[in-house]
Amino acid sequence: MFTEPETWVAIAFVVLMVLFAWLGIHRTVLTALDHRAQRIKAELDDARRLKEDAARLLADYQSRRASAEREAEEIVTNAKAEAERIATEAKARMEDFVARRTKTAENKIALAEAQALADVRAAAAEAAVTAASTVLSQSVKGSVADDLLTKGIAEVKSKLN
């Protein structure tokens, strides 16, 4: 039995354990393990607290992002509505501008027609007066002719103008 190496290993193990017990190493090991357990527990508590803080921050940022997205959508919607309103106003202004320009042009054309008609009438009156004075001066003589000529010219001018 003492020739077996396993026996000597067992004896050495028992002697070593007794020596450790007598020196109090088991208390030191247990204290070190307790300190380590406390440190690990504190680290786990810190990690749990950090995880909860991170979850709160994530929820906060997600709500902010959702709010920002809603605000961006509202801005885009308002911008589209504003652009449509401006386009509608511009179209109405352009139509009004074109209508006023058309009316102005029509008025100018009517005025030019009236002026042309008046010019033609004046030219016709001048021609009629000249023709009448020529005809009357050659056919009628004396003071009766002068008086008749003056009345006729005045009458023609008043009727044609």
Side-chain angles (χ1 to χ4, degrees):
M1 165 162 153
F2 289 114
T3 57
E4 304 267 335
E6 289 87 8
T7 304
W8 288 108
V9 169
I11 291 171
F13 180 72
V14 170
V15 170
L16 184 64
M17 288 296 129
V18 170
L19 180 65
F20 281 169
W22 183 66
L23 291 175
I25 292 182
H26 67 286
R27 277 180 260 138
T28 307
V29 170
L30 288 175
T31 304
L33 288 175
D34 286 343
H35 287 307
R36 183 169 181 187
Q38 289 174 355
R39 196 174 65 243
I40 290 172
K41 185 177 185 275
E43 287 177 2
L44 285 174
D45 290 342
D46 285 345
R48 187 176 301 111
R49 184 180 47 78
L50 289 173
K51 180 182 175 186
E52 290 170 358
D53 288 347
R56 277 194 302 270
L57 283 174
L58 177 64
D60 184 44
Y61 285 127
Q62 285 175 342
S63 67
R64 285 182 184 181
R65 189 195 82 226
S67 174
E69 286 177 355
R70 282 191 305 273
E71 188 175 331
E73 287 176 10
E74 289 175 7
I75 289 171
V76 168
T77 303
N78 290 341
K80 285 181 182 178
E82 184 69 17
E84 289 176 8
R85 184 188 63 77
I86 289 172
T88 304
E89 285 180 6
K91 184 179 178 184
R93 285 181 185 166
M94 184 60 74
E95 289 173 354
D96 184 47
F97 177 75
V98 168
R100 281 185 291 155
R101 286 294 185 156
T102 304
K103 180 112 174 126
T104 303
E106 288 172 353
N107 287 341
K108 284 182 181 179
I109 290 171
L111 186 62
E113 285 177 353
Q115 184 64 38
L117 187 59
D119 289 345
V120 167
R121 281 186 179 166
E126 281 298 319
V129 167
T130 305
S133 68
T134 305
V135 168
L136 288 177
S137 66
Q138 290 175 359
S139 61
V140 179
K141 305 275 184 201
S143 65
V144 174
D146 291 336
D147 188 34
L148 188 61
L149 180 65
T150 308
K151 284 182 185 176
I153 290 173
E155 212 176 296
V156 170
K157 278 188 179 181
S158 66
K159 286 185 181 179
L160 290 178
N161 284 331

